[in-house]
Amino acid sequence: MAYLWILTTLVASVAQTARNAMQRSLTETLGTVGASQVRFLYGFPFALLFLLAVSQIGGEAAPAATGRYLAWVLGGAVTQILATVLMLATMRERSFAVTTAYIKTEPVQVAIFGLLFLGDHLTLGGALAIVVATAGVVMMAVKPGSPGLTAAGLRPAVLGIVAGAFFALSAIGFRGAILTLESGSFVLRATTTLAWSLGMQTALLVVWLGLFDRPALMKSFGAWRPSLMAGFAGAFASQFWFLGFSLTSAANVRTLALVEVLLAQAVSKRLFGQETTAREIIGMTLIVGGVVLLLWTHGT
C-alpha cells in the first residue's frame, strides 16, 4: 500500500498523455473553452459509472458531502478549468514542447501550496528531487537554435506559468477534499471526489458556454464521437490521479508525473522517427534522476 501511489500515478500519466492529444485536436474546431469543456461534459457520466462500480464492489455508500468538503472540491474544480483553458491558450501561441516547460513548473508550485494549505511537508531530498526533475523538463523543451522560453514575449510565459499554478492549486483542492471525507476506503473517497468535481465542472462550463459561446456548446454536442473518447480518457486519468492524491502528497504525485515528458519523447521517436539530441538525453537523465531520488526519499 505504501507504494501503490506509484502505480496509480504511472497509469494516470499514460491516460493523460492520450487525453491531451485528443483534446488538443478538438481546439481548432471547438475553441479553447469548448475543447476544455468536453473533458468534463463527456467525462462526468464515466465518473458516475466509476462511483457506482466502486460502491457496488466495496458494499459502501458514497460518504456524505459537508460544506467544507464541497468548498475544497469547488476550489479544485474551478482552478482546473482555468488551468486547462490557459494551457490550451498557451499551446496556440507556442509549441507543445515549450508549453510543457511552462506547465511542468507545477511540481515546484504544488509543493509550496501543499505546505501552505495542507501542511504536507517535504524532506530536503524530496525538494531536491522536484527541482532536478523540473530542470530536466526545461532542458528538453528549450533546444539550441530554437526560440527561447521568452522569445515570443511575456504573454505566453505568464499564461503557461499561471496555468501551472492553477494545476497545482487544483491538485491541492482535490487532495484537501479527499482528506476531508471521514468515511469510506481511499478508493471510494477518491471516486466520490471525482464525481463531484466533474459534476461541478460540467455545470459551470455548460452555463458559461450557454451564456457566452453557444455555438461552441452546440459544436461540442455535434462532435460527440471524438469528445466521448477524450471524456473517457480524462475521467480515467483523473480517477488514478485522485487515487494517488488519496495515498500521498500532491507534490509526490505531480513530480512522478513528469514521466509524461519521457512518454511523449518515446511516442515522437516511435511515430515520427525523430532523433534524440544530446541535450534531450541530459534532460531525460535529470528527469529520471529526480524521479529516482523522489522514490528513494519516499522509501527511506
Side-chain angles (χ1 to χ4, degrees):
M1 288 294 292
Y3 293 95
L4 185 58
W5 68 274
I6 297 171
L7 177 61
T8 63
T9 301
L10 293 176
V11 172
S13 297
V14 173
Q16 180 156 301
T17 300
R19 194 281 317 280
N20 284 345
M22 297 176 196
Q23 195 172 18
R24 189 184 184 195
S25 67
L26 291 168
T27 305
E28 296 302 320
T29 56
L30 303 181
T32 301
V33 179
S36 302
Q37 180 250 11
V38 298
R39 68 174 286 193
F40 306 121
L41 174 64
Y42 290 95
F44 181 47
F46 291 109
L48 293 178
L49 288 175
F50 296 162
L51 181 57
L52 177 62
V54 169
S55 297
Q56 291 297 316
I57 293 172
E60 298 179 279
T66 64
R68 183 166 174 242
Y69 170 78
L70 293 177
W72 277 111
V73 177
L74 182 61
V78 171
T79 50
Q80 189 176 51
I81 290 173
L82 294 173
T84 303
V85 170
L86 288 172
M87 177 188 71
L88 294 175
T90 308
M91 284 181 180
R92 296 181 110 176
E93 299 194 25
R94 294 305 310 269
S95 69
F96 181 80
V98 173
T99 299
T100 298
Y102 294 137
I103 302 298
K104 293 307 180 183
T105 60
E106 177 197 354
V108 176
Q109 300 186 72
V110 81
I112 296 170
F113 293 140
L115 176 61
L116 291 176
F117 297 115
L118 298 176
D120 284 338
H121 291 277
L122 276 179
T123 63
L124 179 60
L128 181 60
I130 292 171
V131 173
V132 169
T134 302
V137 174
V138 175
M139 178 166 283
M140 286 184 66
V142 185
K143 299 175 176 59
S146 63
L149 289 176
T150 59
L154 193 59
R155 174 182 161 83
V158 171
L159 286 176
I161 292 171
V162 173
F166 280 135
F167 275 125
L169 287 170
S170 70
I172 297 305
F174 295 140
R175 174 163 163 78
I178 292 167
L179 295 177
T180 299
L181 292 175
E182 297 180 355
S183 63
S185 67
F186 77 93
V187 178
L188 182 60
R189 287 183 284 116
T191 311
T192 299
T193 303
L194 174 65
W196 272 106
S197 66
L198 286 179
M200 288 182 180
Q201 289 165 327
T202 298
L204 288 170
L205 281 174
V206 166
V207 170
W208 175 270
L209 290 172
L211 292 175
F212 301 107
D213 196 353
R214 192 165 297 176
L217 181 61
M218 294 299 104
K219 285 181 181 178
S220 70
F221 292 144
W224 64 270
R225 284 186 179 87
S227 297
L228 192 64
M229 288 303 300
F232 171 76
F236 186 80
S238 294
Q239 173 71 53
F240 281 86
W241 288 132
F242 284 28
L243 288 173
F245 294 151
S246 69
L247 292 167
T248 189
S249 72
N252 285 339
V253 172
R254 299 309 296 161
T255 302
L256 181 57
L258 291 177
V259 296
E260 289 175 46
V261 180
L262 305 182
L263 292 173
Q265 182 75 11
V267 169
S268 296
K269 186 175 178 62
R270 175 77 174 176
L271 297 182
F272 306 112
Q274 296 177 350
E275 294 298 323
T276 302
T277 66
R279 186 183 183 90
E280 289 170 337
I281 292 173
I282 295 172
M284 287 188 286
T285 302
L286 286 172
I287 294 172
V288 171
V291 168
V292 169
L293 178 58
L294 173 72
L295 299 181
W296 178 79
T297 302
H298 186 77
T300 56

